[in-house]
Amino acid sequence: AQSVAQPEDQVNVAEGNPLTVKCTYSVSGNPYLFWYVQYPNRGLQFLLKYITGDNLVKGSYGFEAEFNKSQTSFHLKKPSALVSDSALYFCAVRELDNRLAFGKGNQVVVIP
Amino acid sequence: SAVISQKPSRDICQRGTSLTIQCQVDSQVTMMFWYRQQPGQSLTLIATANQGSEATYESGFVIDKFPISRPNLTFSTLTVSNMSPEDSSIYLCSVVSRDRLTEAFFGQGTRLTVV
């Protein structure tokens, strides 16, 4: 089965500083990787995906992610964090039957 | 993209009762899933909702507890039956096409509290 891991529980960052949320994957074959964000009392919103092509993927709200095959990682990044980026972030991989397998999630806290 | 309407958005229910959650999509999609997100946890797949046939349940989830219907390509319901406080969670429906290049879309979730 495909899986992803998010090793950290909470990521604290000062407003204006770079934000990184880590994700590693374990898949057989080509990985289909996704990042979602969940704001309080909201559903999951799609941020970006890696299917194939360029290793640097750009997504919504200024986020990007770098696919690294040798390190089996797909870290989410934002050059300058905003207080409004405080939310729960999930990395996910698409399984062969099209379901998603999620990481445990990372709470991001951006400190003003 | 797909727009998903999920309702109710939240509810507080008495133990022993049942709640039915509805998921309506604005376009025909081939695959619909129901997930549970327990407090402070990640998302766990409950079942795949199959059109016109019985849902496919994941290990640990059974039809008697979580009956699912999907009468057509744009609508599905999940019922949480005979509820207990342990069922307090966020329940989310998700839709995706069979094209593996596309992302999944989620409803806004139903926050269920069982008292």
Side-chain angles (χ1 to χ4, degrees), chain B residues 23-109:
Chain B
C23 180
Q24 178 75 53
V25 188
D26 68 343
S27 59
Q28 292 191 348
V29 292
T30 51
M31 306 200 75
M32 297 181 77
F33 301 95
W34 286 97
Y35 290 85
R36 181 176 73 180
Q37 185 181 17
Q38 294 179 298
Q41 303 294 317
S42 185
L43 282 79
T44 301
L45 182 64
I46 297 172
T48 303
N50 300 311
Q51 186 205 356
S53 64
E54 195 170 285
T56 305
Y57 289 85
E58 297 301 301
S59 175
F61 298 96
V62 295
I63 188 171
D64 290 345
K65 176 66 175 178
F66 298 100
I68 289 171
S69 76
R70 190 179 174 191
N72 56 54
L73 287 174
T74 63
F75 186 77
S76 178
T77 66
L78 167 74
T79 299
V80 186
S81 302
N82 189 26
M83 289 183 284
S84 66
E86 291 72 33
D87 295 319
S88 297
S89 296
I90 299 173
Y91 294 85
L92 299 107
C93 72
S94 174
V95 302
V96 69
S97 75
R98 289 195 185 277
D99 179 1
R100 299 194 71 209
L101 302 182
T102 60
E103 59 271 21
F105 297 95
F106 287 82
Q108 66 267 41

Side-chain angles (χ1 to χ4, degrees), chain A residues 2 30 32 34 36 38 40-46 49 51-52 88 90 94-105, chain B residues 10 31 33 35 37 40-43 45 48 58 90 92 94 96-109 111:
Chain A
Q2 328 279 50
N30 295 322
Y32 294 82
F34 303 83
Y36 287 85
Q38 185 178 36
N41 301 313
R42 303 279 292 276
L44 268 67
Q45 296 180 30
F46 169 74
K49 63 184 176 184
I51 304 298
T52 186
L88 191 56
F90 290 98
R94 188 156 173 171
E95 306 238 33
L96 293 176
D97 59 2
N98 293 308
R99 73 180 70 183
L100 288 176
F102 288 89
K104 67 178 182 179
Chain B
R10 60 176 62 232
M31 306 200 75
F33 301 95
Y35 290 85
Q37 185 181 17
Q41 303 294 317
S42 185
L43 282 79
L45 182 64
T48 303
E58 297 301 301
I90 299 173
L92 299 107
S94 174
V96 69
S97 75
R98 289 195 185 277
D99 179 1
R100 299 194 71 209
L101 302 182
T102 60
E103 59 271 21
F105 297 95
F106 287 82
Q108 66 267 41
R111 183 179 292 273

Side-chain angles (χ1 to χ4, degrees), chain A residues 1-108:
Chain A
Q2 328 279 50
S3 66
V4 291
Q6 295 178 248
E8 300 163 316
D9 289 325
Q10 181 165 307
V11 176
N12 296 324
V13 62
E15 186 177 24
N17 281 5
L19 169 62
T20 299
V21 189
K22 296 180 180 178
C23 174
T24 59
Y25 65 88
S26 175
V27 303
S28 54
N30 295 322
Y32 294 82
L33 298 164
F34 303 83
W35 275 101
Y36 287 85
V37 60
Q38 185 178 36
Y39 297 101
N41 301 313
R42 303 279 292 276
L44 268 67
Q45 296 180 30
F46 169 74
L47 280 178
L48 50 78
K49 63 184 176 184
Y50 174 81
I51 304 298
T52 186
D54 291 341
N55 290 339
L56 185 62
V57 178
K58 294 190 181 298
S60 305
Y61 311 121
F63 283 93
E64 59 189 27
E66 185 173 7
F67 174 74
N68 188 315
K69 189 173 183 178
S70 63
Q71 297 184 3
T72 63
S73 66
F74 189 55
H75 300 332
L76 181 70
K77 300 180 180 182
K78 186 170 184 179
S80 178
L82 302 172
V83 173
S84 57
D85 293 327
S86 297
L88 191 56
Y89 290 80
F90 290 98
C91 181
V93 62
R94 188 156 173 171
E95 306 238 33
L96 293 176
D97 59 2
N98 293 308
R99 73 180 70 183
L100 288 176
F102 288 89
K104 67 178 182 179
N106 286 130
Q107 184 67 50
V108 170

